[in-house]
Amino acid sequence: MRIVIAGGHGQIALRLERLLARRGDESAGIVRHPEQAGDLLAAGAEPVVCDLETASVDDVARHLGAADAAVFAAGAGPGSGAARKETVDHAAAVLFADAAERAGVRRFLIVSSMGADREIPLDTDPVFAAYLHAKTEADTAVRARTALDWTVLRPGRLTNDPGTGRVTLADHVEYGSVTRDDVAAVLLALLDEPRTAGRTLELVNGPTPIADAVGAPA
């Protein structure tokens, strides 16, 4: 397969790129900064410099032309304000979905967050509330598309602990943490499992081997 990943220099994306390269698949990671190219090459991915905050749908669709699947793993990241949550976590996700449709790429994964679609408590930090709102809006826009075989993945609190290979994956799970290693491994497995299309799945570490969890999510 050839997989195009938005946010190709992100921590989850780099892990996914390594997994894809290890099994002989091709990946291209979309990045904003040319100086990030070396890290992608080291991970076995093709770097594609394209700013999703300023690019047109046609610009991005050209990069998706030969893809078998698209993965949106971009995010404004820590330290960014509410405005960039909107332009990256929401608007760039919509742009990437538009481009996938235009390029005829049906399989589409989007990395969201647990807490999206849920009522945001009034005492929530304003920037984090903007992040959850942006994720909710992006998920809603993706799930409305009939031309995409989409899956929305909503991990819990992300950690850099070593992957366990075991998770809980279901429509709704109790809030918890999950390693970035395991999120990447779940994304890889989702790419191989078309029966998860049309599902919004929450993810935390748990007792079930990843292959089993993805093969039969609760």
Side-chain angles (χ1 to χ4, degrees):
M1 293 192 295
R2 177 175 172 82
I3 313 301
V4 177
I5 304 168
H9 193 258
Q11 295 187 66
I12 291 171
L14 286 168
R15 287 168 167 82
L16 177 58
E17 288 154 6
R18 294 186 194 104
L19 292 175
L20 288 164
R22 194 175 301 157
R23 71 177 198 177
D25 288 325
E26 295 181 9
S27 65
I30 295 178
V31 297
R32 293 178 64 208
H33 304 295
E35 59 268 26
Q36 295 172 332
D39 291 336
L40 271 72
L41 290 169
E46 173 194 344
V48 174
V49 179
C50 178
D51 187 348
L52 295 178
E53 291 181 89
T54 59
S56 70
V57 173
D58 285 337
D59 290 336
V60 181
R62 281 192 287 272
H63 299 307
L64 284 160
D68 297 293
V71 179
F72 185 84
S80 60
R84 291 205 69 228
K85 306 304 184 189
E86 171 59 27
T87 58
V88 179
D89 293 276
H90 175 205
V94 173
L95 173 74
F96 198 57
D98 287 341
E101 284 190 322
R102 187 158 300 182
V105 179
R106 288 201 63 92
R107 191 67 173 116
F108 190 94
L109 307 183
I110 180 169
V111 181
S112 181
S113 174
M114 287 183 68
D117 274 351
R118 299 182 182 180
E119 185 175 352
I120 300 173
L122 293 177
D123 60 351
T124 301
D125 173 78
V127 174
F128 187 64
Y131 166 77
L132 291 176
H133 177 74
K135 288 295 188 185
T136 298
E137 292 298 305
D139 294 354
T140 299
V142 168
R143 291 184 296 190
R145 296 164 190 265
T146 58
L148 298 179
D149 295 327
W150 54 263
T151 302
V152 176
L153 182 66
R154 291 177 168 171
R157 183 177 62 85
L158 297 170
T159 77
N160 287 324
D161 295 332
T164 67
R166 294 177 176 271
V167 298
T168 297
L169 182 71
D171 295 337
H172 299 288
V173 304
E174 185 175 347
Y175 188 79
S177 63
V178 60
T179 74
R180 288 180 171 88
D181 286 347
D182 288 319
V183 175
V186 167
L187 288 169
L188 184 73
L190 288 170
L191 288 168
D192 296 334
E193 183 46 83
R195 291 177 297 176
T196 59
R199 298 286 300 272
T200 299
L201 299 168
E202 296 183 343
L203 173 69
V204 295
N205 279 123
T208 307
I210 286 172
D212 296 337
V214 172

